[in-house]
Amino acid sequence: MIEFKNVSKWYGSFQVLTDCTTKVSKGEVVVICGPSGSGKSTLIKTANALEPFQKGEIWIDGVSVGAPDTNLPKLRSRIGMVFQHFELFPHLSVMRNLALAQVKVLGRNEDEALERGRKLLERVGLTGHTDKYPGQLSGGQQQRVAIARALAMDPLAMLFDEPTSALDPEMVNEVLDVMVDLAKEGMTMMVVTHEMGFAKKVADRVVFMDAGFIVEDCSKDDFFDHPEARSERAKFFLSKIL
Ligand code: ADP
Ligand code: MG
C-alpha cells in the first residue's frame, strides 16, 4: 500500500533522510520510533507529498508520489493524516469540521456528509458533541475528532505523527483505544509514536530510525523480544523509554 524505495531527502545541504526503504502492506500497522530529530515526521510527510524528496521512489497504492503527472491533491485526499497538534478548524463546529472536506473534496451531498459524520463521532465516542467548537473540547476529544475527520474521507491508509504526545497523560488512552480499534478493523496504518504499549498490542512491524537512516525494520516480536539482535542504538533508545 505504501512503499519507500531508497528515499533520500535534503533540507538545503542537510541530509535528513538517507536511502530509506520500507513498506506498509494493506492492513498492516507499522510503528516508527526513534530519537527526536531522526527524521520520523519527515518520512511520513514525504509519503503524503507534504514534503518533497530528491532521490528514490514512494508508491501509494500503485501511484508514484514523485511522478510529475501524479494528481497530488487526489492522492492526499486518500491518505488520512493525524498530527500531534490536532489542527482542527477552530472556527468550525465539530460536525462542520467533519463535513467540510467530504462535501468540498469528495463531492458528497450535505445529508450524506452529516450522516457519515454522525457515525464516525459515535465510533470515536463523541456523540453529543456535534455542535461544539474545538476550543470547547479537551485535547483527547479534539484528537478523536481529528481521527474521525480523517476517516470521513474513506482513506486507503492512515498516517499518525505522535498523535498522543501533546496530550495530558489521562487522555492518552482514549486516543490510543480508538487507534487500537482501527488497527483491529484492518486499517493500514503508519504510526510515529513512543507509546510502546500500543506498538506491542497492535503493530505488525517496528521501524527504528536514527539520524535519517532506517536502522531497524523488523517484526514486533523481533523488536521487543530479541534485544540481543537489535542494534546498539535501538537498544539504547529502548532502555530510555521502556
Ligand atoms: P523527528 O520527527 O524524528 O523528530 P524530523 O523529521 O522532524 O524528526 O526532523 C529531522 C531533522 O530535520 C531534524 O534535524 C530537524 O531539525 C530537521 N528539519 C525538520 N524540518 C526541517 C525544515 N523544514 N528545514 C530544515 N530542517 C528541518
Ligand atoms: Mg516528529
Side-chain angles (χ1 to χ4, degrees):
M1 183 67 79
I2 304 174
E3 189 166 13
F4 297 83
K5 285 187 188 166
N6 308 105
V7 172
S8 293
K9 173 178 173 64
W10 287 259
Y11 285 119
S13 61
F14 172 67
Q15 186 162 12
V16 57
L17 299 175
T18 305
D19 212 15
C20 292
T21 297
T22 188
K23 65 178 175 185
V24 188
S25 303
K26 190 168 159 48
E28 211 175 18
V29 177
V30 173
V31 162
I32 302 176
C33 61
S36 181
S38 57
K40 307 179 298 295
S41 295
T42 303
L43 186 76
I44 68 167
K45 282 188 207 153
T46 59
N48 209 9
L50 292 174
E51 281 289 349
F53 54 97
Q54 287 79 34
K55 264 185 152 178
E57 293 169 31
I58 301 178
W59 293 83
I60 306 281
D61 198 31
V63 175
S64 169
V65 175
D69 56 346
T70 294
N71 182 339
L72 291 180
K74 182 168 174 214
L75 186 75
R76 284 192 196 110
S77 75
R78 305 304 318 281
I79 303 287
M81 179 96 202
V82 176
F83 300 94
Q84 184 174 355
H85 299 284
F86 330 117
E87 311 204 3
L88 297 171
F89 302 114
H91 60 292
L92 296 180
S93 70
V94 165
M95 186 51 88
R96 295 309 328 160
N97 263 280
L98 291 184
L100 184 69
Q102 294 188 64
V103 174
K104 293 258 189 247
V105 180
L106 298 184
R108 286 188 183 143
N109 72 41
E110 183 72 12
D111 287 346
E112 267 180 307
L114 295 180
E115 181 53 26
R116 182 97 172 98
R118 268 191 292 275
K119 285 209 176 99
L120 285 165
L121 280 184
E122 186 182 339
R123 177 164 171 189
V124 300
L126 290 173
T127 304
H129 295 271
T130 48
D131 297 327
K132 290 190 180 162
Y133 286 83
Q136 298 173 299
L137 301 176
S138 72
Q141 290 172 328
Q142 289 184 55
Q143 196 59 303
R144 286 184 282 149
V145 173
I147 293 171
R149 184 177 63 174
L151 292 174
M153 303 298 283
D154 296 327
L156 296 164
M158 289 281 286
L159 310 178
F160 294 85
D161 191 1
E162 303 205 36
T164 60
S165 55
L167 298 176
D168 291 336
E170 74 272 21
M171 293 172 189
V172 167
N173 281 331
E174 67 192 55
V175 172
L176 290 179
D177 287 347
V178 168
M179 293 168 60
V180 167
D181 285 346
L182 259 186
K184 288 186 173 158
E185 287 161 21
M187 177 61 77
T188 305
M189 293 164 68
M190 206 168 164
V191 185
V192 177
T193 185
H194 293 160
E195 293 289 340
M196 292 296 124
F198 172 82
K200 286 181 181 174
K201 208 181 277 177
V202 296
D204 295 295
R205 290 199 344 272
V206 177
V207 166
F208 173 76
M209 293 186 72
D210 190 31
F213 290 82
I214 291 180
V215 177
E216 306 266 358
D217 183 350
C218 58
S219 74
K220 165 183 68 181
D221 295 341
D222 281 347
F223 192 76
F224 291 113
D225 301 340
H226 296 284
E228 73 284 355
R230 302 280 65 77
S231 65
E232 287 306 315
R233 285 180 286 185
K235 272 192 275 195
F236 180 73
F237 177 76
L238 285 172
S239 75
K240 295 285 178 204
I241 63 163
L242 285 180

